[in-house]
Coordinates of all heavy atoms in Angstrom, one line a residue:
T43 N 7.8 -12.2 -3.4 CA 9.0 -12.8 -3.7 C 8.9 -14.4 -3.2 O 9.2 -15.2 -3.8 CB 10.3 -12.2 -3.0 OG1 10.4 -10.9 -3.4 CG2 11.5 -13.1 -3.2
A47 N 8.9 -17.6 -5.3 CA 9.9 -18.7 -4.9 C 9.4 -20.0 -4.6 O 10.1 -21.0 -4.7 CB 10.8 -18.0 -3.7
I123 N 23.9 -5.5 4.2 CA 24.5 -6.4 3.2 C 25.4 -5.8 2.3 O 26.4 -6.3 1.8 CB 23.3 -7.1 2.5 CG1 22.5 -7.9 3.4 CG2 23.7 -8.0 1.2 CD1 21.1 -8.4 2.6
T257 N 14.0 -16.9 -11.0 CA 15.4 -17.0 -10.3 C 15.5 -17.9 -9.1 O 16.4 -18.7 -9.0 CB 15.8 -15.6 -9.9 OG1 15.0 -15.0 -9.1 CG2 16.0 -14.8 -11.2
I258 N 14.5 -17.9 -8.3 CA 14.7 -18.7 -7.0 C 13.8 -20.1 -6.9 O 14.2 -20.9 -6.2 CB 14.4 -17.7 -5.8 CG1 15.0 -16.5 -5.8 CG2 14.5 -18.5 -4.4 CD1 14.5 -15.3 -4.7
T261 N 15.1 -23.8 -6.4 CA 16.6 -23.8 -5.9 C 16.7 -24.4 -4.3 O 17.8 -24.6 -4.0 CB 17.1 -22.4 -5.8 OG1 16.4 -21.5 -5.0 CG2 17.1 -21.8 -7.4
G262 N 15.5 -24.4 -3.7 CA 15.5 -24.9 -2.4 C 15.8 -23.8 -1.4 O 15.9 -24.1 -0.1
N263 N 16.0 -22.6 -1.7 CA 16.1 -21.5 -0.8 C 14.9 -21.2 -0.1 O 13.8 -21.1 -0.5 CB 16.6 -20.2 -1.4 CG 18.1 -20.2 -1.9 OD1 18.9 -20.1 -1.2 ND2 18.2 -20.5 -3.2
D264 N 15.0 -21.2 1.4 CA 13.9 -20.8 2.1 C 13.7 -19.3 2.4 O 14.7 -18.8 3.0 CB 14.0 -21.5 3.6 CG 12.8 -21.3 4.5 OD1 11.8 -21.1 3.9 OD2 12.9 -21.7 5.7
I265 N 12.7 -18.7 1.9 CA 12.6 -17.1 1.9 C 11.6 -16.8 2.9 O 10.5 -17.2 2.8 CB 12.2 -16.6 0.5 CG1 13.2 -17.2 -0.7 CG2 12.4 -15.1 0.6 CD1 14.7 -16.7 -0.5
T267 N 12.5 -13.7 4.9 CA 12.8 -12.2 5.2 C 13.5 -11.6 4.1 O 13.9 -12.2 3.1 CB 13.9 -12.1 6.4 OG1 15.2 -12.7 6.1 CG2 13.3 -12.9 7.7
V268 N 13.8 -10.1 4.2 CA 14.3 -9.4 3.1 C 15.8 -10.0 2.9 O 16.4 -10.2 1.8 CB 14.5 -7.9 3.5 CG1 15.4 -7.2 2.6 CG2 13.0 -7.3 3.2
E269 N 16.5 -10.3 4.0 CA 17.9 -10.8 4.0 C 17.8 -12.0 3.3 O 18.8 -12.3 2.5 CB 18.5 -11.0 5.4 CG 19.9 -11.2 5.3 CD 20.5 -11.0 6.7 OE1 19.7 -10.9 7.7 OE2 21.8 -11.1 6.9
D270 N 17.0 -13.0 3.4 CA 17.0 -14.2 2.7 C 16.8 -14.0 1.3 O 17.5 -14.8 0.5 CB 15.8 -15.1 3.3 CG 15.9 -15.6 4.7 OD1 17.0 -15.6 5.2 OD2 14.8 -15.9 5.3
A271 N 15.9 -13.1 0.9 CA 15.6 -13.0 -0.5 C 16.8 -12.3 -1.2 O 17.3 -12.7 -2.4 CB 14.5 -12.0 -0.7
A272 N 17.4 -11.3 -0.5 CA 18.6 -10.7 -1.1 C 19.8 -11.5 -1.4 O 20.4 -11.6 -2.3 CB 19.0 -9.3 -0.3
T273 N 20.1 -12.3 -0.2 CA 21.2 -13.3 -0.2 C 20.9 -14.4 -1.3 O 22.0 -14.9 -1.9 CB 21.6 -13.7 1.2 OG1 20.4 -14.3 1.7 CG2 22.1 -12.6 2.0
A274 N 19.7 -14.7 -1.5 CA 19.4 -15.8 -2.5 C 19.7 -15.3 -3.8 O 20.1 -16.1 -4.8 CB 18.1 -16.4 -2.1
L275 N 19.2 -14.1 -4.1 CA 19.3 -13.5 -5.5 C 20.7 -13.3 -5.9 O 21.0 -13.6 -7.1 CB 18.6 -12.2 -5.5 CG 17.0 -12.3 -5.8 CD1 16.4 -10.8 -5.5 CD2 16.7 -12.8 -7.1
K276 N 21.6 -12.9 -5.0 CA 22.9 -12.5 -5.4 C 23.8 -13.6 -6.3 O 24.2 -13.4 -7.4 CB 23.8 -12.1 -4.3 CG 25.0 -11.1 -4.6 CD 25.4 -10.4 -3.4 CE 26.6 -9.4 -3.8 NZ 27.2 -8.8 -2.6
P277 N 23.8 -14.9 -5.6 CA 24.5 -15.8 -6.4 C 23.9 -16.4 -7.5 O 24.5 -17.0 -8.5 CB 24.9 -16.9 -5.3 CG 23.7 -16.6 -4.2 CD 23.4 -15.3 -4.2
I278 N 22.5 -16.4 -7.4 CA 21.7 -17.2 -8.4 C 21.4 -16.3 -9.6 O 21.7 -16.6 -10.8 CB 20.4 -17.5 -7.8 CG1 20.5 -18.6 -6.8 CG2 19.4 -18.2 -8.9 CD1 19.2 -18.9 -5.9
A279 N 21.1 -15.0 -9.4 CA 20.5 -14.1 -10.5 C 21.6 -13.1 -10.8 O 21.5 -12.4 -11.8 CB 19.2 -13.5 -10.2
G280 N 22.6 -12.9 -10.0 CA 23.6 -12.0 -10.3 C 23.6 -10.7 -9.7 O 22.5 -10.4 -9.0
F284 N 20.2 -8.5 -7.8 CA 20.5 -8.2 -6.3 C 20.3 -6.6 -6.1 O 19.7 -6.2 -5.3 CB 21.7 -8.6 -5.9 CG 22.2 -8.1 -4.6 CD1 21.5 -8.5 -3.3 CD2 23.1 -7.0 -4.5 CE1 22.0 -8.0 -2.1 CE2 23.5 -6.5 -3.3 CZ 22.9 -7.0 -2.1

Side-chain angles (χ1 to χ4, degrees):
T43 303
I123 294 170
T257 54
I258 306 175
T261 62
N263 285 286
D264 186 19
I265 309 296
T267 65
V268 166
E269 189 166 11
D270 294 337
T273 52
L275 277 171
K276 202 168 186 178
I278 297 168
F284 167 76

